[in-house]
Amino acid sequence: MSDEIKKVDEIVAEEKAPEVPTSEPPVDTPAAPVAAEEAPKVAEEGVAAADATAAPAEGDAAAAAPEEKKKSGGVARRFTFNKRWGKHRDAEAATPKEPEAPKDPKEDVLGWIAQQIPQAVHKANFQVIDWVQKTAIPEEGDRKTIPGKDQATTRNQFLGFFKDGDVLVKLANALQPGAVEVATAEENADAAAQKEVQKKNIDAFGTWAQQALGTETAPVTSDDLLEKGKAGYSAVFQTLWQLGVGAKEKFDKEGFNVDTIVQLANSVVKSGLLNTILGFFRRSRQSTAAVDEPKDDAAAAAAGEGEAAKEEGATGEVTDTADEPVAVKQETSAPAAVAAN
């Protein structure tokens, strides 16, 4: 009985109410007011701290975004400012471009040449060479054959014709007698000596053309004809063209008719367009005939076989069977067959 009383006392002691505190509770003291000058600094520090905590979160989210796209099978595309895509491209396609106005060969011959097709340029090259030769060399038998086919000279042929400089200095002296001193090579001169003579003649012509045309520098140099290749074509053609156009006014010599050359170039353009159209129909007709030919051959072969079969059935004879093997049936008597076995 005493043990039970002890246990009850222990339980009561454990469940005993807590003691009431005897000390006074703490008092909250208000914080000192921040000065007016320090308030913005405190606010800026708070914003900076918030941005610093938010930046890593945004960086982590941005880094996680491509990983999620890669995991899901998507492709991350980079934004581009290229205006040729999207709406800008469609807007450019919708706005029609104005055609370039035709150039006047009397004022801008290089611009006019740039607007022509190659065949038209070849026609103009031939006409310029023809005028140069007729002006520089009076005797027809002394003139060289103009390169090209059907009165059409390519750019390379045009440059090659004036490469030695001989015709150029003769042209200068024909337009203005005694204007240029002609350099000549010795009879047994090597290639290097001949090239040096060519340079002297071309440079002499360029110096004279500079004075005749009133340009600041020589319009033609030896490099244009001997070193630059097709890149020197513009300088040579423009110089000769200007001399031909102004021959009557400056030297009282007959020049070439610009309108005639333009008409020849235009006729080449029209004939070229017509040939293109005719070539298209000609090719289409040939392709149609090529498709129909196998069918005709097969039909003819079938018809031939049918006629041969009809003839064979009507006459009972077969012709042209010399090359075919003939099966011969051999009959043997019974004793011979037994002996053979």
Side-chain angles (χ1 to χ4, degrees):
M1 192 67 180
S2 58
D3 295 335
E4 294 178 356
I5 294 172
K6 289 181 179 180
K7 290 180 180 180
V8 171
D9 294 338
E10 292 176 358
I11 293 170
V12 171
E14 291 177 359
E15 295 179 355
K16 186 177 181 180
E19 297 179 358
V20 178
T22 57
S23 60
E24 296 181 358
V27 179
D28 295 336
T29 56
V34 182
E37 296 179 357
E38 296 180 357
K41 295 182 180 180
V42 174
E44 291 178 359
E45 291 178 357
V47 172
D51 293 342
T53 54
E58 292 178 359
D60 296 338
E67 294 180 357
E68 293 177 359
K69 289 185 178 180
K70 291 181 180 179
K71 290 180 181 178
S72 61
V75 179
R77 296 184 178 180
R78 183 178 60 183
F79 178 75
T80 178
F81 290 96
N82 189 356
K83 294 184 178 181
R84 295 186 178 275
W85 296 95
K87 296 181 179 179
H88 297 283
R89 178 193 61 187
D90 298 336
E92 290 180 0
T95 56
K97 295 182 179 179
E98 296 182 359
E100 186 179 2
K103 303 290 184 180
D104 186 1
K106 295 181 181 179
E107 298 178 358
D108 185 8
V109 64
L110 294 182
W112 177 76
I113 285 290
Q115 293 178 340
Q116 306 303 313
I117 62 176
Q119 291 79 1
V121 177
H122 299 167
K123 286 289 185 181
N125 291 341
F126 183 90
Q127 296 299 321
V128 171
I129 294 178
D130 185 55
W131 172 79
V132 170
Q133 276 214 124
K134 289 180 179 179
T135 305
I137 306 173
E139 297 294 333
E140 186 176 356
D142 297 337
R143 300 170 188 167
K144 296 189 294 185
T145 303
I146 301 177
K149 184 179 179 182
D150 297 333
Q151 296 186 353
T153 305
T154 64
R155 296 172 189 257
N156 286 331
Q157 293 172 341
F158 181 86
L159 294 173
F161 187 85
F162 299 107
K163 190 173 182 180
D164 58 357
D166 181 62
V167 181
L168 295 177
V169 293
K170 289 180 179 179
L171 174 65
N173 290 329
L175 295 176
Q176 186 178 350
V180 177
E181 182 179 356
V182 182
T184 56
E186 297 180 358
E187 294 182 0
N188 299 326
D190 57 358
Q194 292 179 1
K195 187 174 182 179
E196 191 66 26
V197 171
Q198 293 174 359
K199 286 184 177 181
K200 289 182 179 179
N201 287 331
I202 296 172
D203 291 335
F205 171 79
T207 303
W208 170 82
Q210 177 182 356
Q211 298 174 357
L213 299 176
T215 58
E216 296 180 357
T217 58
V220 177
T221 62
S222 57
D223 292 340
D224 294 328
L225 285 166
L226 301 177
E227 304 295 339
K228 294 183 179 180
K230 283 187 178 181
Y233 167 80
S234 300
V236 179
F237 183 88
Q238 185 178 23
T239 302
L240 296 177
W241 181 272
Q242 291 176 348
L243 290 173
V245 171
K248 188 66 176 177
E249 180 181 354
K250 294 181 179 181
F251 310 105
D252 196 18
K253 301 290 183 178
E254 184 179 358
F256 49 72
N257 192 345
V258 178
D259 297 333
T260 302
I261 297 177
V262 173
Q263 289 177 3
L264 289 173
N266 293 336
S267 66
V268 171
V269 174
K270 294 178 181 178
S271 62
L273 180 60
L274 181 61
N275 291 333
T276 302
I277 297 173
L278 293 177
F280 171 76
F281 286 106
R282 192 178 296 112
R283 286 193 300 271
S284 61
R285 185 181 302 173
Q286 290 176 355
S287 60
T288 305
V291 172
D292 294 341
E293 281 178 0
K295 295 181 180 179
D296 295 341
D297 294 342
E305 292 177 358
E307 291 178 0
K310 290 180 181 179
E311 291 178 358
E312 181 181 354
T315 60
E317 296 179 358
V318 179
T319 59
D320 297 337
T321 58
D323 296 335
E324 297 180 0
V326 179
V328 179
K329 183 177 181 181
Q330 297 180 354
E331 296 181 0
T332 56
S333 60
V338 174
N341 291 333

